[in-house]
Amino acid sequence: MKVLDKLTQILRNRNYSKNTIDTYICYLDKYFIEEKIKDPYQISLAQVKHYLQHKEYSSISQQNQIIGALKLFCKYMLGKKAIHLDKIERPRKEKKLPKVIEGELLKEKILAIQNLKHKAILSLAFSCALRVSEVINLKMVDIDRQRMIINIKNAKGKKDRIVKLSAPLLQILEDYYKAYKPKTYLFNGQFSLQYSASSCNKLMKKYIGSETHFHLLRHSSATLLHEKGLDIMVLSKLLGHSSVKTTQIYTHISNRVISNIEMAL
């Protein structure tokens, strides 16, 4: 649909991330289908409000994404800057602590992997506490063996940062490189230059556990680093958080914090 192509270009020009754009366009496309919209430019705000108020959402996160998608559509495609959708109260996110996997167990399982590529992907994510997008977007030129750092470019929030490259991880990456000779991106897909996020999640389920997902590597790594005494401000910078408040969640799940409490009895 041309209107979605036009909105996609507008969001790109405004530096929205590819993942955000893809998510918003997907939900807008579903909205047009569900509401049998023939001419998107004739959508009324009343229609949008009614949809948002009566839509059954699978999660709070999905609800926020759909609201965000429709607000941007109304703003940029319908020219409704004061769209008054603020009256539709955005749900508060559930304050759930992220699940973590015990560090030594993760290390043991990852190092036991025979496939060098799979081992390198999971080792990198766990060692450096990377997001899946940061792993698959990493390029050969981002690895600085002289300074023993990895340059994470254009990550979440369009920010760059560096993370430490450990000697054991460097050895794993070098063994992988010699065997696979990747081009451009550090990890190539089977039929493309770039490995996919879905494939990364499949690796977690295959080697770590059927109920796990890739982001657990980041949570588990951050928790382990905090338990080892890494300063919260340094951890925040390492993770690429905009605010240390985001990082403080790891102080809630760290065993080190709990074990240091002096109980009343």
Side-chain angles (χ1 to χ4, degrees):
M1 191 175 286
K2 290 184 178 180
V3 67
L4 294 182
D5 292 339
K6 186 175 180 180
L7 180 60
T8 297
Q9 191 57 52
I10 290 173
L11 296 181
R12 283 175 181 164
N13 293 340
R14 293 182 176 275
N15 284 326
Y16 281 81
S17 72
K18 182 181 183 301
N19 286 342
T20 297
I21 294 173
D22 290 346
T23 298
Y24 283 178
I25 296 302
C26 177
Y27 283 131
L28 286 170
D29 190 40
K30 288 181 179 179
Y31 166 66
F32 295 153
I33 294 172
E34 290 173 12
E35 296 297 289
K36 300 178 181 178
I37 303 294
K38 293 183 179 179
D39 185 354
Y41 290 102
Q42 298 302 316
I43 296 172
S44 69
L45 295 183
Q47 283 178 286
V48 174
K49 291 179 183 178
H50 182 272
Y51 178 78
L52 293 175
Q53 289 170 336
H54 295 85
K55 170 74 175 174
E56 290 187 7
Y57 304 97
S58 62
S59 66
I60 289 175
S61 176
Q62 185 199 53
Q63 186 176 3
N64 273 319
Q65 289 171 338
I66 293 175
I67 291 174
L70 281 164
K71 289 190 73 169
L72 287 179
F73 175 80
C74 291
K75 179 178 179 180
Y76 293 123
M77 305 314 299
L78 302 183
K80 307 286 187 180
K81 292 186 178 180
I83 58 178
H84 305 302
L85 290 184
D86 294 326
K87 293 181 180 179
I88 299 175
E89 185 176 351
R90 280 183 179 267
R92 291 188 177 184
K93 287 188 176 180
E94 299 170 348
K95 292 187 177 181
K96 292 183 178 180
L97 296 178
K99 295 179 181 179
V100 296
I101 304 173
E102 200 273 321
E104 286 303 316
L105 176 62
L106 262 178
K107 182 178 178 180
E108 180 182 332
K109 287 192 172 187
I110 292 173
L111 293 181
I113 297 172
Q114 296 301 307
N115 184 297
L116 286 176
K117 185 175 187 178
H118 297 170
K119 183 178 183 178
I121 290 172
L122 296 182
S123 296
L124 174 65
F126 179 54
S127 176
C128 302
L130 300 185
R131 302 178 177 95
V132 65
S133 59
E134 295 167 350
V135 172
I136 63 177
N137 288 328
L138 204 64
K139 295 183 178 180
M140 301 299 302
V141 295
D142 298 329
I143 308 295
D144 188 337
R145 293 189 297 172
Q146 297 300 317
R147 298 170 61 200
M148 290 300 285
I149 60 171
I150 299 175
N151 294 290
I152 309 299
K153 299 176 181 176
N154 202 27
K156 187 175 181 180
K158 302 291 182 181
K159 294 180 294 186
D160 296 346
R161 72 181 192 280
I162 62 171
V163 295
K164 184 178 179 179
L165 173 62
S166 70
L169 176 59
L170 176 60
Q171 185 61 59
I172 291 172
L173 293 179
E174 287 182 338
D175 291 342
Y176 154 73
Y177 181 82
K178 290 175 184 177
Y180 286 83
K181 300 292 192 299
K183 298 178 180 179
T184 308
Y185 290 100
L186 182 60
F187 300 111
N188 299 151
Q190 187 174 1
F191 304 107
S192 65
L193 280 177
Q194 193 173 25
Y195 209 72
S196 70
S198 60
S199 294
C200 287
N201 272 309
K202 288 178 182 177
L203 296 185
M204 281 292 290
K205 296 184 185 303
K206 178 178 180 179
Y207 295 109
I208 309 302
S210 59
E211 300 300 316
T212 64
H213 56 82
F214 200 81
H215 208 63
L216 278 177
L217 294 174
R218 178 172 164 87
H219 287 322
S220 301
S221 178
T223 302
L224 182 62
L225 288 170
H226 180 63
E227 288 182 340
K228 288 184 174 181
L230 185 64
D231 180 80
I232 193 70
M233 295 297 292
V234 178
L235 180 59
S236 182
K237 190 171 183 63
L238 175 72
L239 295 173
H241 287 162
S242 298
S243 170
V244 72
K245 290 182 179 179
T246 307
T247 318
Q248 285 173 340
I249 192 170
Y250 296 107
T251 67
H252 300 159
I253 55 179
S254 169
N255 288 332
R256 182 173 66 90
V257 174
I258 301 299
S259 63
N260 286 341
I261 295 175
E262 186 174 342
M263 303 303 288
L265 180 60

